[in-house]
Amino acid sequence: MPIGDVLPEISLTLGAVIIVLFATFTRQQQHHWAAVLALLTIALSAGLTLAQWDGQPQLTFSGVWALDGMAISSKLVVLIAGALVVAMSPEWMQTDRRHGEYYALVLFALLGVVMMASASDTMELVLGVLLSSVASYPLAAYHRGWAPALEAGMKYFLIGALTNALLTIGVVVVFGLTGNTGYTEVAQGLAGGSDSLALTIATACIVLGLTFKLAAFPAHAWMPDVAQGSPAPAAAFLTVIPKIGAAVALARFVSLLPPDVAWRAIVAVISVTTMTLGNVAALRQTDVRRLLGWSSVSQSGYALMAIVVMSVSDQALPALVLFLASYAIANLAAFAVITFLRGRTALEDYQGLVKNAPIATVVLILSLLSLVGIPPLVGFFGKLMLFKVTLEGGYAWLAFVAAANTVVSLFYYLRIVASMMFANSRPVVHVLPGQWTRITMAIAGLLILAIGLGAEVLVEYTNAIGFAM
């Protein structure tokens, strides 16, 4: 058991424990220092992860832990996104008596997502999903005195309980078929032939279990409520970060399946249904946070396109990572603006915002256009890679459906832009005092532009990433 291989994860665990102890023995007025501790922890974990970048792809800890390009790159995306969430939180959470514990929950949830992305064993996958879920449920309902937060947390918990049970059932059936839980041994066992009905049931249960963390159909119903009812920084976390780990975990699992299992058709159907449902539902929303929740559902459908053509197109996995990174930055930038505006959600609250909060308006416009995929923003290159690999993989019909959905999404994103730019301005715009959220919002907006302009460098670095098997 080479402990050095999991130093990034150990640092997250120790950081969360230190923050819990710090919050226990200090006054509430000092809890904003817990955010500093969380950022230092994430920076340490990211540095240790970068140190693994040039290493040989391998399976460590008796084959249950992957140290490969996909695990390391997705871990970095998760950590950067987590840092942005932490940085936008102090002013929002400062009046909450449990301010300090909030950051420990964020770190534990990050650890669960990282475990999902790095798991090379079905039991390790279950552990990652459960840790991420258990830490995320209280984040969704953190404002327990507000009815929409309780509703969001309860819906999130109930759907999670059902889908996590299905995931565990699928893992048990796979163990029964192969006698192993390690991915390498499972792949070898399935290649030798197995009960097709049992394998189909196991595959369906595991895929359905992971669609919960992806917020993809049919386990997507919690996402709009969480986006609307959770604390804005927690909503930013839950709409972005868990789906990064879930997408990588799903890609890693389906790569084990033999050719006679029609998993590509299953994932393609889920992809089309998810993106179409998310975009159509977003069209009728007048609440910006709920609209972004449905938008997050649709973005999961786009991400599944790369998984459909995995192993058919050499660039499918790099395209998946690039798209997830571009989506994460854009969506976090949008929620940073919402946090800065004290969580204002009604579309009418954004009328004429450009006159009262020009910087926030610019950042929100950049994030929305990036979510659509307008050049030269980072979202354009993420979607460009997706469409490219989908066409190369022979799924032109799927690319066409995704293009049509992208056009549909333009309508509801531009509705927000038009309200901010051309409607009569409201007399007063309330914003959070302090600099944490303001600086985070500006950094996220700059990242949308900077990474978009330097996307070729990012593509070059992710060009050869893959799975260690």
Side-chain angles (χ1 to χ4, degrees):
M1 292 187 178
I3 299 299
D5 290 344
V6 290
L7 281 179
E9 291 72 28
I10 291 175
S11 65
L12 287 175
T13 306
L14 292 179
V17 172
I18 290 170
I19 288 172
V20 170
L21 294 175
F22 172 82
T24 302
F25 295 105
T26 56
R27 292 182 301 175
Q28 180 187 338
Q29 292 80 357
Q30 303 299 319
H31 282 191
H32 63 276
W33 288 105
V36 177
L37 292 174
L39 288 174
L40 291 174
T41 300
I42 291 172
L44 175 61
S45 181
L48 293 170
T49 301
L50 280 172
Q52 299 172 337
W53 184 265
D54 293 327
Q56 188 70 22
Q58 60 174 314
L59 299 179
T60 185
F61 278 83
S62 302
V64 305
W65 192 261
L67 277 180
D68 52 27
M70 280 298 290
I72 294 172
S73 58
S74 59
K75 194 185 306 182
L76 287 172
V77 175
V78 165
L79 292 173
I80 293 170
L84 290 172
V85 170
V86 169
M88 72 174 74
S89 300
E91 283 107 5
W92 183 284
M93 304 297 300
Q94 65 181 349
T95 58
D96 196 299
R97 295 183 61 187
R98 299 157 299 142
H99 184 182
E101 291 90 336
Y102 165 84
Y103 302 104
L105 285 173
V106 169
L107 291 185
F108 280 127
L110 285 176
L111 178 61
V113 174
V114 167
M115 291 179 68
M116 289 163 58
S118 302
S120 187
D121 182 279
T122 52
M123 294 307 296
E124 194 79 18
L125 172 62
V126 170
L127 184 61
V129 170
L130 293 181
L131 177 57
S132 172
S133 298
V134 167
S136 296
Y137 297 148
L139 287 177
Y142 214 73
H143 293 334
R144 56 189 177 186
W146 193 41
L150 291 178
E151 181 183 353
M154 183 58 68
K155 185 174 288 188
Y156 191 27
F157 170 74
L158 291 175
I159 296 176
L162 173 61
T163 54
N164 289 342
L166 289 174
L167 173 67
T168 307
I169 290 171
V171 166
V172 170
V173 175
V174 168
F175 177 75
L177 290 172
T178 62
N180 285 285
T181 57
Y183 281 6
T184 303
E185 294 78 11
V186 167
Q188 293 171 351
L190 295 178
S194 58
D195 187 310
S196 59
L197 177 60
L199 181 56
T200 301
I201 293 173
T203 301
C205 287
I206 292 175
V207 170
L208 286 174
L210 290 175
T211 58
F212 164 64
K213 305 304 292 184
L214 267 168
F217 178 85
H220 64 284
W222 60 270
M223 176 59 78
D225 293 87
V226 167
Q228 182 182 17
S230 301
F237 183 101
L238 296 172
T239 57
V240 170
I241 295 177
K243 68 177 56 184
I244 298 172
V248 176
L250 179 59
R252 202 182 290 275
F253 172 74
V254 295
S255 67
L256 311 174
L257 300 176
D260 57 333
V261 178
W263 63 265
R264 293 187 197 278
I266 295 172
V267 177
V269 169
I270 294 175
S271 172
V272 169
T273 307
T274 300
M275 70 175 75
T276 304
L277 178 63
N279 283 320
V280 171
L283 282 173
R284 46 193 289 269
Q285 301 303 319
T286 58
D287 184 289
V288 173
R289 287 176 64 176
R290 195 168 185 85
L291 183 151
L292 287 174
W294 281 112
S295 166
S296 180
V297 172
S298 70
Q299 299 291 333
S300 297
Y302 297 125
L304 290 172
M305 294 166 60
I307 299 177
V308 171
V309 297
M310 195 177 58
S311 74
V312 178
S313 172
D314 294 337
Q315 295 299 304
L317 294 178
L320 177 61
V321 170
L322 186 59
F323 174 77
L324 291 172
S326 64
Y327 163 70
I329 293 168
N331 212 60
L332 289 174
F335 272 98
V337 174
I338 290 171
T339 304
F340 175 69
L341 298 175
R342 293 179 178 266
R344 294 296 188 269
T345 60
L347 185 59
E348 62 185 27
D349 292 327
Y350 292 78
Q351 291 178 355
L353 187 65
V354 67
K355 297 174 182 149
N356 295 314
I359 295 178
T361 302
V362 170
V363 173
L364 186 53
I365 290 174
L366 287 175
S367 65
L368 295 176
L369 294 182
S370 182
L371 289 171
V372 175
I374 303 298
L377 305 177
V378 63
F380 167 74
F381 295 97
K383 282 196 174 178
L384 178 64
M385 286 286 289
L386 278 185
F387 283 105
K388 179 174 176 288
V389 298
T390 304
L391 291 171
E392 287 178 353
Y395 282 79
W397 67 270
L398 182 56
F400 174 79
V401 173
N405 272 279
T406 300
V407 173
V408 172
S409 70
L410 192 61
F411 287 94
Y412 59 79
Y413 290 132
L414 288 182
R415 194 166 81 238
I416 302 175
V417 175
S419 180
M420 291 189 294
M421 296 297 294
F422 305 118
N424 293 327
S425 62
R426 299 181 68 81
V428 179
V429 175
H430 298 281
V431 301
L432 281 176
Q435 297 300 319
W436 283 82
T437 305
R438 193 186 303 268
I439 293 173
T440 306
M441 180 178 65
I443 290 174
L446 290 174
L447 285 175
I448 293 174
L449 280 173
I451 299 179
L453 295 174
E456 290 185 5
V457 177
L458 190 60
V459 170
E460 182 178 346
Y461 272 99
T462 59
N463 193 35
I465 63 174
F467 292 140
M469 298 298 292

